[in-house]
Every structure is written in C-alpha cells, then in structure tokens.
Amino acid sequence: MHSVQFVKLASIMSNKKRTNSSKPGIMFYFHHQPKKGKTDIPLQTQNLALDNEIVTIDCEEVVAETSAESHDKSTDEKQYPAVWSKEQFDEFKKKHEWLFASRGKLGCTICAEVSNLKIHAARGINIASQWAECNILPFGKTKETELTSLRKKNYIHKNSAAHAEAEKILETARKDILLNINGRSQEAAFEITSRVFRTAYYIAKMNRPFTDHESLIDLQKVNGVQIGRLLHSRMVCGDIIEHISAEMRKKIVSQIITKKTKITILVDEATTLSRKSTLVIFLKSSVDGVMNPVAFPLDLIELENASAESIKQEIMKCLFHHGFTFEVLTEIFVSFCSDGANVMLGVKAGVGKLLQGDFPKLILWHCMNHRLELAVDQALDVTGGTNDFRSFLDTLYTLYSQSPKNVRELSAQANELHVLLKKIGRVFIVRWVASSWRAVNAVWQTYPALAAHFQKASQDQSRDRREQVKFQGLHSKLCSVNFVKNMSIMLDVLTELKNLSELLQDRKMTIPKADNHIKMYVRRIESLKRIPGFHSEQTQNAEEGIMFKNTKLTGIGKSPKIKSSQFIQAVVDNMRCKLFTTTANKATESVAKGRETAYHTLIDSISVLNPESWQTDADNPLFGDQEIRILCEMLNVSYHETHLGFVEYKCCAGRIVPEKLKKLILAVDTLAASNADCERGFSVMNNIITDKRTALTTRHVSDLLFISIVGPPFTEWNPDTYVKSWLGKGRRAAQSCKGMARQEQARQQDQAYYKQLWKCL
C-alpha cells in the first residue's frame, strides 16, 4: 500500500483527535512518494506543513478521514451500506483500496481527490460524479439483488476509462514536489533543520566536543529560536558531521573526476593513542581545472599492518571508496610524495615502488623538508665538536624541563636582568630544522639569565654539594669562549636552514620554486666560510673583550671548538647530495645516479615554462619543444594541444599564458615539493583529540579533520544542499513528528545541590 502525505488547512490540523464527523468538501494537498532520481528529496522525508503539523498516513486512513470529514454524520452510525456486514465491507475494501463509505453509501477516494484538485475540467475529462460524491447506493428488492448490484458497480467503476484517467491524473499530482500553498512551509521546515546543521557544523569547525551540541541546542531554545524536536543528541551530531564531510568530499572528488585534473597523493604516518599506526592521506589538485592546486585531507586510515603491501592496498582501497576508478587514476595520478621511510620509498618494495607497478609514469618524491633535516644530521655526524655542543644543550633541556624550582629561579633572573625568557627545547632531534633553531636561539636570547642562575645556584647553600658542583661546571662551560663561538656559528647556519625550511613549507611552493630557493640558500650558507654571519660578528667582539652580553667570560674553556669551515662545507655538500634528487633514502650508486638524472631532467623541462630562461636560446625557434614533449609524457598531458599553446606563449614573449598551455602548467604546479600539509594535518588532529576526547574513532577524527581544514567559516557556510541530501537519504527533518526526541538529562549532583540558592540569584 502506497504511503500518502498531505497537508490540511490550519483549522483542521488544530483538531488532533480524528473523528468520523466533519464538514464536507475539505481540500487535501498531498503528494505521492516519487521514484528515485525524480527529485532531490524523497517526499516521505519532506514533513512540511502549515503550523508545523505533519501527518503521514496510509491510503486506508485517507479513505477513512475523507469519508469522515466529507459528510456530517455521527461516529456511532453505520457508514457502509446496510446490506453489507462489517466483514463484507472490509473484504471489498481490501480488494479496492480506493473504496470508502459514508452514510450507507459508497464512494471512490481517487475520483473525489481528482475532483477536488479541479484538474479534470481543464483537461476535458469526465469524472464519475456519483463515485466522487459518495452517492453509490445498491438497488433491488431482495438482499441478494442488492449485493449483486454493488459487486457489479464496483467492477464497472474499477475498469472504467474515467477511473483509469483519474488514477493517471492523481499519480501526476502526487509527483509534484509541493503545491504553491506549501511553499512557505517548505522554507520554514528547511530553515529549522538548517539551524541544527549549522550547530553541528560549528561543533566540527571549532573543535568542540559532541556533547556541546546538546547544550547549544538548549541555549537556542532558551533564546526563543525554533529548533524543532529531533536531531538534538550528541550521537546525531556525529552523524550530521559525518554526512557533511562525506558530501563535501564527494563534491570535490566528482569535480576532479569530471575535469580530469591531475592529482598528487601525499601521505604520512603517525601513531594513535591506542598504539596503532595511522596513515593520513592528502590530495593536491586543481579541483576544477582553473584554480591553483590545493592540498586537502582525503581520509585517515588506521593500519592493521604497517607493511608496504598493506599500506599500498589501503591507499588504493581509500581512493576507490571515494569514487576514483583505476582507469581515472591511470590518467590523473601523477605523483606520490612521502617522507623517506623505507616502507614508503624503499628501492625494491616500498609503497611508491609498488604504486609504480600499477602506474608506471608515477613520479616518486621525497619530502624536501625531511631531506633538509637529513642533510643537517649527516653534517653534524662528520663535524668534530658538535656532539659536545648537542650534549650541553640536552643537559639544559633536562635541567629546566624536569625541575619547576630551576624554572622559577631562571625566570627570576631573567626578570631581574630584563631578559625575555624563552623555553629551552631539545636540539637536533627527529624534527624539522626550525625546532633546532628555536632551541639554540632560546639559549642565545636567555644567555645572561642562564649565566646568572648557574652562578647563583653554584653558591646556594640550600643545595647540596653535588648540585653546587654541577651548576659550577655548567657555568664554566656556558661562559667559555669556545662555547659562545660554537653557538654563534651553529646559530648562523641554523638561521639560514630555518628560513629555507619555512619557505619549503609554504602552501604555494612548487618544485621549480623550491629548486631556486635551495640553490640560493646553498650559496648563502657557503658564503659564511668567507663572510662572518650576524651572530659570529658579535662573538668576535666578545672574544676580544672577554665579555658577551654583559657577562664575563671565563676563558677558552674545555669545550672542543667546532671547525666552522668544515661544518659549513659538510652542510653544503649534504644539501647538494640530498636535495638535488627525487628521493634521498639509501640506494645503490646506479639508482642514486638515476634519481639525480630524473630530477635534473624534470627541472630542466619545467624551466622552459619560465620566460626568463629564453634569453640564452632566443635565436632557436624550436627552443623548448623537446622539454615540453618530455613534460607531457611525464604528466600524461596531450602534447599536440600543449605544443600549440607553447608556441603561442613564445610568440607573446610569455606575457599571456594561452588556454592550451594552462593544463600543463597546472599539472606542474600539482607536483608537491613537501608533505608539510600532512604535518599540518597532524597538528590539527592534536587540537581535535584532546584529553577529554580520547574516545573519538578514526572515522570521527577523519571527518572533523576535513571540516576543520577545508570547510568554510561557519558564518559563511550554507547548509541547504547538505540538508537536502540528508533528507534524500531518508533521514528525518528536525521538526518531524515521528521519532523519539532527546530526553532531558538529570541535573548533575552539584547543580541539584545548589538549586536552593538559585532563587537568591
């Protein structure tokens, strides 16, 4: 039996209790549940009515109510013909769903409804008026004759052309989304559900716990905002956020697939609180084929197995889940970027190598920020004196990170000397270069306070002899000339490396830009061998006056001196070795040589897109053709169209980029120089997974991460399309009368205890 929804006039809806007695001629506005694909929203979910009253009943109920409200009769009087028993009427009713009875007469709900809609007159169709007005009576002198006449009339009407046409008209009317009279109700109902969606979106965007959803709903109720009766629980809040996130991803991925824009996959691995490996997957793409490429989080995967084969399968499973097909990926998947872990970029069986088995043209790229860290670590390993410097800074970190008393005393000394106190961290750990620079810079900035604190602590009689000797040794090392000079050269080099690292982390950084920046900073660092840096100049003056930052130095000291030229050259050599290649993890000499060749081929090919490189070959009309062909082959872009665009580009001296060349340029910009976006994703996850939100599942974190990073501000977000798709999946609207509303929770014990004071407040 089909389900019919209808909207009655407000005066009728105010009568909650159904009766079998009402004034005739009540107009029903209704629609039938449409087939899938006809409308954006299945009408069974559009519980929209005047005065926010929604009624959903079966056809039998329509029959009963039409009969009851169309004729003025008491409920205790028999409605069906007297010649029938109750069982006979029910039997005929079961065979003919459209049959209804009133005042001892029979009628047809379909003909009555079509007659009320006034459609038949406009179409020139005759409706059986007696059936429409419920005026069918039996005839005959005997009961048997009357029964026969009713059976015959039912049969004739069921097979009549008028009844068949009425069914067609009614079916058409039912497929109309809403009549004009219900337009305002639709807007109001959508707005109420949209308010709930905005509240849930706020929870996700501002990294608030799901329990805040219930509190915010209650707050809006108190402020007089109409918020409906459903979708108010924290569980539904999670469902709404999941729905919004899924729809957002679907829109982005569908654009990528439709426009066939190139993608780079960026991955990084971390460990959850449950000690399980988690893989974050970002996509970088010019989504609509016009915008500059953007990196966004696609998903977060919890790995049961951290092997390369398992990770590769999980990545492919994730891509297929979000709508990509193997054929589409073969055309648009151009690059894979990761850190240098062997499981990711191993020469023989890393994830990248396994992906190249499916996508032979795939470019494997080692994150340049990770490679920069590797270059610094290897330079430290081959330079004498650096281990002693690192050990001393680690001692300072331990001293002030584990003792609140030492922190208080250092803070007091800093305030006394008007020195800005900075937190002393660890140096040269498994983090990017900027963290090491912050640690060394903190010692440089707080140097006077550290020296004063060490001297005072070494003479503090409240400390035991062992502590006094320890602080005396720290003071002697800190105030030695060698330590100050070591710190200055280290800080000069780290400042350049830190600046380069931050440039490589820029969201708009591309591989050709990164190559130019690296070459520039290699020359800057190499120049420190001839030209003292900013910090080295200050220590030269300190060595001559045996004073540094108003602190007297104790002499050369026992600390080994770092050979500045050796350290700088080691950094430069390792940067050239690690950065001017596609990947920098361990490999045989032939493989490493092939990676360097691939890197220079890529950079040289991309350079022809820069008009500044044309000056050397201005007389060669075929300049750049070979490089464009190589790029098109690498990035799976049509060469013929791109070549025409490149020739046009040269004709206008690079002032205007032709449309035919833009696809290649966007593909080049899609290549990621660093997977810094993955690291930013982990930082956002740290804000999401707080101490009070450790019960969040990986699915929840993935949805929250996507909205937090990609979603527009909640003040600019429009929930209409997401509400429609929510209702389209059969989920209830906020003002629906069906479904269980959230139960009011008992007051917390402290609230109940202080309730007696509320009257005074």
Side-chain angles (χ1 to χ4, degrees):
M1 185 178 294
H2 296 293
S3 176
V4 178
Q5 292 184 326
F6 63 92
V7 179
K8 299 190 294 181
L9 295 178
S11 60
I12 299 301
M13 289 303 299
S14 62
N15 185 9
K16 301 282 184 176
K17 184 176 180 181
R18 293 181 182 172
T19 63
N20 291 329
S21 177
S22 180
K23 293 182 180 181
I26 295 298
M27 175 78 75
F28 294 115
Y29 292 90
F30 58 90
H31 48 75
H32 187 269
Q33 177 178 340
K35 295 181 180 179
K36 270 190 174 179
K38 295 294 184 182
T39 62
D40 290 337
I41 313 162
L43 297 180
Q44 74 267 27
T45 63
Q46 294 178 343
N47 299 323
L48 313 172
L50 295 176
D51 294 340
N52 294 321
E53 291 287 345
I54 301 94
V55 181
T56 303
I57 62 175
D58 290 334
C59 287
E60 288 187 8
E61 295 177 29
V62 174
V63 171
E65 186 138 338
T66 304
S67 173
E69 298 187 4
S70 300
H71 307 280
D72 190 342
K73 195 72 176 177
S74 61
T75 57
D76 56 350
E77 185 178 345
K78 183 186 292 186
Q79 299 294 306
Y80 49 85
V83 70
W84 275 352
S85 65
K86 181 68 167 61
E87 290 74 19
Q88 287 176 311
F89 176 75
D90 291 341
E91 183 180 353
F92 273 90
K93 183 78 170 57
K94 187 175 180 180
K95 293 179 180 179
H96 310 296
E97 297 177 359
W98 42 264
L99 187 67
F100 75 97
S102 178
R103 297 176 299 171
K105 302 177 183 179
L106 298 179
C108 173
T109 59
I110 293 177
C111 294
E113 291 163 357
V114 172
S115 178
N116 285 334
L117 289 175
K118 307 298 182 184
I119 299 175
H120 63 289
R123 296 190 180 183
I125 298 169
N126 293 322
I127 296 297
S129 59
Q130 287 188 327
W131 280 97
E133 297 171 2
C134 193
N135 284 326
I136 300 299
L137 290 169
F139 70 88
K141 297 183 179 180
T142 64
K143 181 177 180 179
E144 183 178 355
T145 306
E146 290 180 334
L147 291 173
T148 301
S149 68
L150 288 179
R151 285 196 298 268
K152 185 175 181 180
K153 288 185 177 183
N154 279 318
Y155 178 82
I156 292 174
H157 180 69
K158 175 184 176 182
N159 297 288
S160 66
H163 181 75
E165 188 63 27
E167 286 184 320
K168 293 180 182 179
I169 294 173
L170 187 59
E171 188 69 20
T172 302
R174 286 171 176 171
K175 289 180 180 179
D176 291 340
I177 297 179
L178 285 171
L179 298 177
N180 292 335
I181 194 172
N182 206 28
R184 290 187 299 274
S185 300
Q186 180 191 32
E187 293 177 3
F190 263 79
E191 179 57 31
I192 292 173
T193 307
S194 295
R195 290 169 189 162
V196 178
F197 268 60
R198 289 190 192 98
T199 305
Y201 184 81
Y202 171 86
I203 295 292
K205 190 64 181 175
M206 304 306 293
N207 297 327
R208 301 301 305 162
F210 290 168
T211 51
D212 280 11
H213 181 75
E214 299 176 355
S215 301
L216 291 173
I217 290 291
D218 293 339
L219 176 62
Q220 293 177 78
K221 287 182 179 179
V222 171
N223 286 335
V225 179
Q226 194 173 6
I227 207 72
R229 58 181 296 273
L230 298 183
L231 313 182
H232 295 176
S233 71
R234 60 184 179 85
M235 302 299 294
V236 177
C237 176
D239 293 343
I240 293 174
I241 291 172
E242 181 179 356
H243 171 76
I244 293 172
S245 175
E247 290 297 311
M248 285 181 170
R249 288 190 182 99
K250 186 188 300 183
K251 290 180 180 181
I252 293 176
V253 171
S254 64
Q255 281 266 39
I256 293 174
I257 294 174
T258 302
K259 301 296 183 180
K260 298 293 177 63
T261 55
K262 308 304 178 184
I263 64 171
T264 289
I265 295 180
L266 303 91
V267 300
D268 205 350
E269 191 178 357
T271 304
T272 63
L273 293 175
S274 58
R275 302 298 179 185
K276 288 188 177 181
S277 295
T278 304
L279 191 72
V280 62
I281 301 177
F282 273 67
L283 288 189
K284 185 176 182 182
S285 175
S286 171
V287 177
D288 60 358
V290 178
M291 68 174 69
N292 292 326
V294 176
F296 62 91
L298 181 67
D299 214 335
L300 191 66
I301 303 173
E302 198 170 88
L303 300 173
E304 297 295 335
N305 188 342
S307 66
E309 179 63 33
S310 176
I311 294 174
K312 183 254 185 178
Q313 294 298 332
E314 289 294 336
I315 291 174
M316 296 303 298
K317 181 180 176 181
C318 173
L319 294 172
F320 294 152
H321 170 74
H322 288 286
F324 293 103
T325 62
F326 186 82
E327 292 74 17
V328 171
L329 290 173
T330 302
E331 184 175 353
I332 68 174
F333 186 16
V334 295
S335 179
F336 176 78
C337 179
S338 176
D339 59 12
N342 285 331
V343 70
M344 292 295 177
L345 295 176
V347 178
K348 295 183 178 179
V351 175
K353 189 66 177 180
L354 295 177
L355 287 172
Q356 274 188 331
D358 294 334
F359 311 100
K361 296 180 181 179
L362 188 66
I363 298 173
L364 303 184
W365 195 262
H366 187 172
C367 169
M368 283 186 161
N369 286 101
H370 285 90
R371 286 192 258 170
L372 189 61
E373 182 67 32
L374 290 175
V376 176
D377 285 343
Q378 292 190 7
L380 291 170
D381 291 339
V382 300
T383 305
T386 57
N387 289 335
D388 181 78
F389 180 80
R390 185 189 312 190
S391 175
F392 180 73
L393 264 64
D394 285 344
T395 302
L396 295 183
Y397 169 76
T398 304
L399 185 67
Y400 291 107
S401 65
Q402 298 180 358
S403 174
K405 177 183 177 182
N406 291 332
V407 173
R408 288 195 303 270
E409 293 178 352
L410 178 62
S411 179
Q413 291 296 327
N415 292 333
E416 184 178 336
L417 297 172
H418 304 288
V419 174
L420 179 63
L421 184 63
K422 293 191 175 183
K423 184 178 179 181
I424 299 174
R426 300 190 66 185
V427 66
F428 304 124
I429 57 174
V430 187
R431 289 187 180 181
W432 289 353
V433 181
S435 62
S436 297
W437 173 86
R438 284 192 293 269
V440 179
N441 186 59
V443 176
W444 179 274
Q445 296 292 338
T446 59
Y447 185 87
L450 286 170
H453 179 232
F454 290 164
Q455 186 176 14
K456 185 176 181 180
S458 65
Q459 300 170 359
D460 188 357
Q461 298 301 320
S462 64
R463 297 179 182 270
D464 58 30
R465 182 59 184 168
R466 180 171 170 271
E467 283 188 304
Q468 291 178 359
V469 171
K470 177 181 178 181
F471 279 103
Q472 186 177 358
L474 291 174
H475 180 267
S476 176
K477 176 171 282 192
L478 182 72
C479 295
S480 65
V481 173
N482 281 353
F483 176 80
V484 172
K485 296 191 71 173
N486 290 346
M487 182 170 57
S488 65
I489 186 61
M490 194 69 70
L491 199 52
D492 282 334
V493 174
L494 286 177
T495 299
E496 300 296 332
L497 293 172
K498 185 263 300 186
N499 292 337
L500 175 59
S501 178
E502 290 177 348
L503 284 172
L504 295 176
Q505 296 174 44
D506 188 85
R507 295 182 186 274
K508 297 181 180 180
M509 181 56 61
T510 60
I511 288 179
K513 287 182 181 179
D515 180 73
N516 290 333
H517 287 312
I518 292 169
K519 290 176 180 177
M520 171 60 71
Y521 274 92
V522 165
R523 293 195 297 269
R524 286 178 62 88
I525 294 172
E526 195 169 20
S527 69
L528 294 176
K529 293 191 298 182
R530 307 184 309 274
I531 307 170
F534 172 76
H535 302 90
S536 296
E537 284 184 347
Q538 295 187 47
T539 56
Q540 282 181 353
N541 298 330
E543 184 179 6
E544 296 171 359
I546 314 297
M547 290 287 291
F548 178 65
K549 292 194 172 186
N550 297 324
T551 301
K552 185 177 181 180
L553 302 181
T554 59
I556 299 299
K558 296 181 180 180
S559 298
K561 183 180 178 181
I562 296 176
K563 296 180 180 180
S564 59
S565 297
Q566 181 187 6
F567 175 61
I568 292 170
Q569 190 60 48
V571 171
V572 169
D573 291 342
N574 277 281
M575 287 179 68
R576 286 173 174 158
C577 176
K578 299 293 184 184
L579 297 178
F580 297 127
T581 180
T582 55
T583 55
N585 51 329
K586 291 182 179 180
T588 61
E589 185 177 351
S590 59
V591 172
K593 191 67 175 177
R595 291 171 174 174
E596 291 179 12
T597 302
Y599 175 85
H600 290 294
T601 300
L602 177 63
I603 295 299
D604 293 342
S605 300
I606 294 175
S607 66
V608 302
L609 297 174
N610 183 6
E612 295 178 0
S613 66
W614 299 348
Q615 298 174 359
T616 56
D617 295 280
D619 297 333
N620 181 9
L622 301 180
F623 164 72
D625 288 4
Q626 182 65 26
E627 287 81 359
I628 292 296
R629 185 183 297 275
I630 292 173
L631 273 182
C632 290
E633 180 68 20
M634 284 182 176
L635 302 176
N636 202 13
V637 178
S638 171
Y639 171 71
H640 176 70
E641 181 179 354
T642 305
H643 177 259
L644 294 177
F646 181 65
V647 173
E648 185 180 349
Y649 190 44
K650 291 193 293 184
C651 289
C652 67
R655 289 187 295 269
I656 301 175
V657 179
E659 288 293 329
K660 294 180 180 179
L661 188 61
K662 286 183 178 179
K663 192 170 185 179
L664 177 63
I665 293 176
L666 287 175
V668 170
D669 291 344
T670 300
L671 301 176
S674 167
N675 67 344
D677 288 289
C678 295
E679 301 294 341
R680 293 189 188 98
F682 287 128
S683 297
V684 175
M685 285 170 57
N686 290 334
N687 296 331
I688 294 173
I689 308 175
T690 60
D691 294 339
K692 295 184 178 181
R693 303 184 75 188
T694 54
L696 288 173
T697 64
T698 303
R699 179 74 267 159
H700 283 139
V701 176
S702 177
D703 297 332
L704 293 169
L705 176 68
F706 183 88
I707 294 176
S708 181
I709 294 178
V710 176
F714 64 89
T715 54
E716 301 178 18
W717 180 67
N718 186 356
D720 288 352
T721 57
Y722 303 95
V723 173
K724 288 181 181 180
S725 56
W726 170 270
L727 297 176
K729 292 181 178 180
R731 305 300 296 265
R732 289 192 173 95
Q735 82 289 359
S736 175
C737 288
K738 286 191 173 183
M740 182 179 296
R742 175 172 61 94
Q743 300 296 320
E744 292 292 336
Q745 296 182 354
R747 298 186 187 276
Q748 296 181 5
Q749 187 174 0
D750 58 343
Q751 291 182 341
Y753 176 75
Y754 288 108
K755 183 178 180 181
Q756 54 190 339
L757 290 179
W758 294 351
K759 296 180 181 179
C760 303
L761 303 178

